[in-house]
Amino acid sequence: MKIVKAEIEDLKEILELQYIAYKSEASLFGTDDIPPLKETLEEVIEEYNNGIILKMLPEDGEIGQIIGSVRAYEKDGTAYIGKLMVHPDFRGQGHGTKLLNEIQKYYPYKRYELFTSTRSVDNIRLYEKNGFKKFKQETITNELIFVYMEK
């Protein structure tokens, strides 16, 4: 796999991957009414302009076949990591860890923070395996509780 910075031309494909990748997250709640499935291309462009978006490509894959992505931005000494995603066909092969490690290289010597749902046990396991620790929870609704993790 090859991980490089995304270009503006990649953002539509990354958003399409996001819609595919976050279906499994939505299924944990029995609804497609979650922010990653409603994000617009304009919002992704704004994130691109304010931080870094990485893309993962298979070494022998077709040009433009993005199978993973992650985003981050830095504010006040903390790198906020978000939208870590891997296409469902490529999960369970260590690609999430590779993306997580790669994005941290763009923000060396920073505190790292991310969040996920308490129902996303696979995500929590991935983050803990990579040195992240839970530091707070936030109840959004009766159904949705975010767990915040830092490293």
Side-chain angles (χ1 to χ4, degrees), residues 28-140:
L28 296 173
F29 297 94
T31 179
D32 282 348
D33 189 25
I34 65 170
L37 295 181
K38 299 189 313 189
E39 189 169 28
T40 65
L41 183 57
E42 290 75 23
E43 291 169 320
V44 177
I45 291 169
E46 187 176 330
E47 289 182 78
Y48 175 86
N49 289 331
N50 293 313
I52 295 173
I53 300 179
L54 299 182
K55 63 181 178 180
M56 175 180 269
L57 302 163
E59 290 289 348
D60 57 352
E62 304 168 19
I63 293 186
Q65 181 188 3
I66 298 171
I67 62 158
S69 183
V70 64
R71 303 173 199 173
Y73 68 93
E74 190 264 334
K75 182 178 178 186
D76 298 329
T78 295
Y80 294 90
I81 300 171
K83 302 286 189 333
L84 174 63
M85 65 189 96
V86 176
H87 190 284
D89 292 347
F90 293 89
R91 290 184 182 154
Q93 301 173 35
H95 301 316
T97 293
K98 290 175 187 163
L99 284 161
L100 196 55
N101 289 335
E102 193 65 29
I103 196 74
Q104 291 175 69
K105 291 177 184 176
Y106 287 86
Y107 300 98
Y109 314 112
K110 300 290 180 192
R111 174 183 173 270
Y112 305 103
E113 183 178 318
L114 50 78
F115 69 92
T116 191
S117 157
T118 54
R119 293 188 184 188
S120 303
V121 292
D122 289 340
N123 293 349
I124 293 169
R125 189 177 319 114
L126 168 70
Y127 301 141
E128 287 178 335
K129 185 179 88 181
N130 284 283
F132 284 81
K133 306 273 189 245
K134 298 174 189 172
F135 73 94
K136 80 174 180 179
Q137 283 193 176
E138 181 180 4
T139 301
I140 306 301

